[in-house]
């Protein structure tokens, strides 16, 4: 039995532009605000953290942003990525649905994250930057930036959330193999880290704390800049190569998605697959449903407040309007470390407010059930984060079975789980739990939201 159906583009089909959804939005994004003045910030306010080329990509409303030649050259190593029809999974589910998945796990770091890491390293190198400072949760972003830094001759320094640093030594080893320096966060190297350690010496860390440390170091050193792996407009922009390739591959399949599914931590892989299709719909093309899937233990889109908030715990970042659980919220431990962020990308949040996307939250055991079912049918072992998208797609396919209709479902398989086998061991050992977040802690974190509103 050979049911493998794979749509492959040759390398001349790597997109030449990133697609900018800001050009097609029915209503523009709310401005980013200065935390001191409450007034919109300008490009110069961000200059200590990012090179100007990336700052301009943050605010541009041009529809197409050209991908520099050297970035496309690096993309050629693994792009265009394959798109598969999941025939064996369809059979296993006995669904009339047509399930397709775009596979981003073929990159050197094993996820979609190098799509932006390579671009960010390129622009920083062009601007004369010597060092990139960043944070990482599970280690996917840290290893992607370490890879990109190695290619462009930049030093990379990664603040890794303490629990992951201790529990995920393999991702750390990968970063070090690429030449990066990896520091457990909270650390003694920064004021933000020392302040947290003074309160609690064995603090397990959080993405919000690690971001504070990285931003602090970048802001204080002229030769260093900060890099973020999700959330920001320019990061989502770089990921749109995923959706643009998918449009061409769905054409090869002579099909078009009725539903697109992606998992959301900060929103970048979801945006990558969905925005090019959404843009086409906003310009008068075929309408589609778009579903964002998030963990029930850190449900920013489904349970967060849409408000101005900080991106980090120490409140060093500007204020952006987004769905947030509050910058001091610490989600309970669960295995999809890449989805443990208190906020959601402003662009994705804006779409949710406009009713252009839907969101759903799942507990982790059902998510791993789905991932294992997928692996047994399709052979690819997804990252725990990607299992959320798998579960979302399977539920859509089961809905088709119930309703007796055939729809095309496209989801983003954003990474493989080869460095996450402990999560699978725990799942098979019956050690996963569906612990929710602490309602009291959420209420407290939300009560602490800064009291600024959108300027009229
Ligand atoms: C980082 C990561 C995520 C979460 O980040 P997004 O910006 O929401 O995509 C999801 N999946 C994988 C495999 C990741 O590495």
């Amino acid at each position: 039995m050979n049911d493998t159906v794979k749509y492959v583009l040759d390398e001349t089909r790597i997109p030449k532009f990133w697609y900018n959804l800001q050009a097609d939005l029915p209503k523009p994004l709310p401005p980013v605000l200065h935390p001191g003045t409450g007034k919109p910030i300008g490009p110069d306010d961000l200059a200590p953290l990012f090179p100007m080329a990336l700052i301009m990509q943050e605010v541009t409303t041009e529809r197409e942003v050209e991908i520099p030649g050297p970035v496309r050259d690096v993309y050629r190593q693994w792009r265009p990525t394959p798109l598969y029809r999941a025939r064996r999974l369809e059979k296993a589910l006995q669904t009339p649905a047509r399930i397709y998945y775009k596979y981003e796990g073929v990159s050197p770091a094993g996820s979609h994250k190098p799509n932006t890491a390579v671009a960010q390293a390129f622009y920083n190198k062009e601007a004369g930057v010597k060092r990139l400072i960043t944070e990482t949760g599970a280690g996917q972003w840290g290893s992607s930036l370490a890879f990109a830094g190695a290619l462009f001759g930049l030093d990379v320094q990664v603040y890794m959330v303490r629990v992951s640093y201790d529990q995920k030594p393999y991702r750390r080893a990968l970063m070090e193999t690429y030449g990066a320096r990896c520091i457990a966060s909270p650390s003694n190297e920064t004021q933000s880290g020392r302040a947290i350690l003074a309160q609690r010496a064995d603090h397990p860390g959080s993405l919000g704390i690690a971001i504070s440390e990285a931003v602090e170091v970048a802001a204080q050193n002229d030769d260093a800049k900060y890099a973020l792996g999700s959330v920001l407009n320019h990061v989502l922009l770089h990921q749109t190569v995923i959706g643009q390739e998918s449009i061409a591959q769905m054409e090869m399949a002579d099909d078009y998605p009725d539903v697109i599914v992606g998992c959301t931590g900060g929103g970048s892989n979801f945006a990558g697959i969905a925005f090019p299709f959404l843009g086409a719909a906003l310009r008068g093309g075929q309408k589609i449903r778009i579903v964002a899937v998030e963990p029930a233990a850190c449900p920013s889109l489904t349970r967060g407040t849409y408000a101005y908030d900080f991106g980090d715990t120490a409140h060093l970042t500007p204020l952006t309007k987004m769905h947030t659980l509050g910058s001091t919220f610490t989600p309970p431990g669960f295995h999809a470390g890449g989805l443990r962020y208190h906020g959601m990308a402003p662009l994705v949040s804006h779409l949710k407010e406009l009713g252009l996307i839907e969101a759903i939250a799942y507990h982790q055991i059902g998510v791993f059930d789905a991932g294992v079912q997928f692996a047994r049918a399709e052979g690819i072992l997804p990252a725990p984060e990607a299992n959320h998208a798998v579960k979302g797609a399977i539920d859509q396919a089961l809905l088709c079975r119930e309703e007796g209709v055939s729809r095309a479902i496209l989801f983003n398989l954003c990474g493989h789980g080869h460095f996450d086998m402990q999560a699978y061991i725990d799942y098979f050992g019956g050690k996963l739990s569906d612990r929710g977040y602490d309602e009291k802690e959420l209420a407290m974190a939300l009560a602490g939201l800064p009291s600024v509103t959108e300027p009229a």
Side-chain angles (χ1 to χ4, degrees):
M1 148 176 127
N2 184 0
D3 284 332
T4 302
V5 188
K6 178 177 172 185
Y7 300 98
V8 187
L9 300 167
D10 71 65
E11 60 184 52
T12 65
R13 307 291 299 277
I14 297 171
K16 297 195 169 59
F17 298 88
W18 291 301
Y19 165 66
N20 181 15
L21 183 70
Q22 291 197 65
D24 293 312
L25 285 176
K27 189 180 160 203
L29 273 181
V32 176
L33 303 183
H34 191 284
T37 65
K39 297 242 159 52
I41 60 164
D44 289 342
D45 292 311
L46 292 173
L49 295 184
F50 303 107
M52 202 42 79
L54 290 175
I55 295 172
M56 295 326 283
Q57 289 181 5
E58 200 55 27
V59 295
T60 181
T61 52
E62 298 261 314
R63 184 170 289 122
E64 292 180 332
V65 176
E66 192 174 354
I67 304 177
V71 174
R72 287 185 84 238
D73 266 349
V74 178
Y75 280 175
R76 276 191 321 143
Q77 187 185 352
W78 71 93
R79 306 211 71 85
T81 59
L83 184 140
Y84 295 92
R85 169 100 182 250
R87 287 241 190 229
R88 294 189 296 251
L89 180 66
E90 291 169 16
K91 264 185 209 153
L93 297 170
Q94 298 182 306
T95 174
R98 308 179 307 282
I99 307 175
Y100 298 89
Y101 59 96
K102 178 76 163 161
Y103 186 42
E104 289 294 309
V106 293
S107 80
S111 77
H112 63 289
K113 292 225 170 68
N115 295 333
T116 185
V118 169
Q120 292 189 45
F122 168 80
Y123 288 115
N124 275 286
K125 182 73 184 183
E126 287 274 283
V129 174
K130 301 278 181 267
R131 278 197 293 155
L132 285 178
I133 321 292
T134 196
E135 73 291 323
T136 197
Q140 287 269 19
W141 169 242
S143 47
S144 298
L145 195 69
F147 156 65
L151 295 186
F152 288 97
L154 291 162
D155 284 343
V156 174
Q157 186 170 320
V158 184
Y159 289 91
M160 185 172 192
V161 176
R162 164 62 78 179
V163 267
S164 305
Y165 184 91
D166 292 334
Q167 287 171 2
K168 306 205 168 185
Y170 300 125
R171 277 276 164 203
R172 197 203 324 162
L174 183 59
M175 288 180 239
E176 287 167 355
T177 304
Y178 288 137
R181 190 162 85 89
C182 191
I183 308 124
S185 165
S187 79
N188 267 316
E189 297 190 359
T190 66
Q191 236 177 335
S192 325
R194 285 190 295 271
I196 299 278
L197 289 174
Q199 286 168 20
R200 186 178 159 189
D202 66 341
H203 198 290
S206 73
L207 267 178
I209 294 167
I211 293 175
S212 297
E213 294 204 87
V215 166
E216 184 185 319
V217 174
Q220 288 173 354
N221 291 280
D222 286 345
D223 65 339
K225 297 271 185 226
Y226 173 65
L228 188 62
S230 185
V231 178
L232 297 176
N233 300 339
H234 69 265
V235 179
L236 276 54
L237 175 81
H238 299 155
Q239 293 297 349
T240 58
V241 289
I242 301 171
Q244 291 184 67
E245 289 173 8
S246 300
I247 288 178
Q249 287 162 313
M250 290 302 295
E251 238 167 65
M252 287 172 82
D254 199 18
D255 208 343
Y256 199 81
D258 298 296
V259 190
I260 293 179
V261 180
C263 68
T264 45
S268 74
N269 88 83
F270 169 81
I273 194 153
F275 283 9
F277 287 97
L278 178 59
L282 290 170
R283 294 191 304 275
Q286 194 172 320
K287 298 275 173 285
I288 38 173
R289 283 182 56 217
I290 301 175
V291 183
V293 185
E294 62 181 11
C298 191
S300 52
L301 272 176
T302 53
R303 290 297 313 278
T305 302
Y306 185 54
Y308 274 100
D309 197 7
F310 292 96
D312 71 319
T313 311
H315 297 176
L316 304 176
T317 69
L319 295 167
T320 52
K321 198 162 185 192
M322 60 181 173
H323 286 86
T324 177
L325 300 165
S327 61
T328 58
F329 177 77
T330 309
F334 58 92
H335 271 297
L339 306 181
R340 289 184 79 230
Y341 186 59
H342 69 271
M344 182 51 60
L347 262 172
V348 173
S349 297
H350 187 61
L351 296 177
K352 176 77 174 13
E353 280 304 292
L354 294 175
L356 293 169
I357 61 167
E358 304 163 34
I360 186 168
Y362 290 128
H363 283 289
Q364 66 175 348
I365 294 176
V367 158
F368 272 84
D369 291 341
V372 169
Q373 183 172 28
F374 179 84
R376 287 178 186 176
E378 298 294 319
I380 297 173
L381 181 123
E385 293 84 3
N387 282 344
H388 289 74
V390 173
K391 163 101 174 130
I394 287 179
D395 279 4
Q396 291 297 325
L398 293 176
L399 191 66
C400 288
R401 185 172 81 184
E402 255 168 57
E403 296 175 355
V405 290
S406 174
R407 293 189 199 98
I409 299 162
L410 169 64
F411 74 96
N412 196 11
L413 189 62
C414 50
H416 69 64
H418 298 174
F419 287 93
D420 305 286
M421 296 317 295
Q422 189 59 47
Y424 282 87
I425 292 170
D426 290 349
Y427 168 77
F428 289 118
K431 290 192 189 139
L432 293 195
S433 75
D434 280 345
R435 196 150 56 97
Y437 54 85
D438 184 338
E439 288 283 356
K440 267 200 218 118
E441 200 200 321
L442 176 59
M444 257 173 58
L446 287 175
L449 284 176
S451 52
V452 281
T453 47
E454 196 171 332

